[in-house]
Amino acid sequence: TGGSSVTLASNNALLTVPVSVTVPAGVTTATFSATAAASIPSNQNATVTATLNTSSQTATIALVAPLVSGVVCIPTSLGQSAVSTCTVTVTQTAPTGGIGVTLGSNNALLTVSASVTVLAGATTASFSATAAASIPSNQSATATATLGSSSQTATISLLAPVLVSGVACIPTSLN
């Protein structure tokens, strides 16, 4: 009359399930919640096992890690000391505490912060890419955003100042 208590277990600490669920008398199923951890470092599976007496059944749940899906910087060309606003996008809404994304630049003339945090409930975060005060020649730089095994890049053109290279007067004498 009281139903049956089914023992539950997860083989992965990143997926929590209740210790048991009660299947009411006269019913053949019961619903429970399985909760993934706030931070999943890499894609992996978890197996949930439901056991009643000597009988058990399993179900596999995929735990999917967030990835960086894009980086966009505007403007894409910078003169000396100019700043580009960049936006990094991740594939999942950030959990409580946010998602930290590592940043880098392949050119010492373009500076980015070491990391940026995608805040809880968001999928994007902004950061600044700043050109050096002196750019000796036109060149490109790459800003990279990395999360786990995923990374995305944005290319920024660094423009040297236009300099006067000479003066010519024609004619060279006047009456």
Side-chain angles (χ1 to χ4, degrees):
T1 58
S4 302
S5 179
V6 176
T7 303
L8 303 172
S10 168
N11 73 337
N12 189 319
L14 297 177
L15 184 73
T16 57
V17 296
V19 174
S20 65
V21 63
T22 299
V23 179
V27 179
T28 58
T29 62
T31 302
F32 63 92
S33 295
T35 305
S39 177
I40 299 171
S42 62
N43 292 349
Q44 54 196 287
N45 290 326
T47 301
V48 175
T49 304
T51 304
L52 177 62
N53 299 324
T54 59
S55 171
S56 65
Q57 293 290 315
T58 60
T60 301
I61 297 175
L63 302 176
V64 181
L67 304 173
V68 173
S69 60
V71 178
V72 176
C73 295
I74 299 172
T76 57
S77 296
L78 299 177
Q80 295 180 147
S81 301
V83 178
S84 181
T85 299
C86 302
T87 302
V88 60
T89 303
V90 295
T91 56
Q92 298 175 22
T93 302
T96 301
I99 297 173
V101 177
T102 303
L103 304 174
S105 169
N106 72 336
N107 188 322
L109 299 179
L110 183 71
T111 303
V112 297
S113 55
S115 66
V116 66
T117 299
V118 178
L119 298 177
T123 56
T124 62
S126 294
F127 64 94
S128 295
T130 305
S134 175
I135 300 171
S137 62
N138 290 348
Q139 55 196 284
S140 66
T142 302
T144 303
T146 304
L147 177 59
S149 61
S150 68
S151 66
Q152 294 288 322
T153 60
T155 301
I156 296 174
S157 297
L158 301 176
L159 307 176
V162 176
L163 302 174
V164 175
S165 60
V167 175
C169 297
I170 300 173
T172 57
S173 63
L174 298 175
N175 294 333

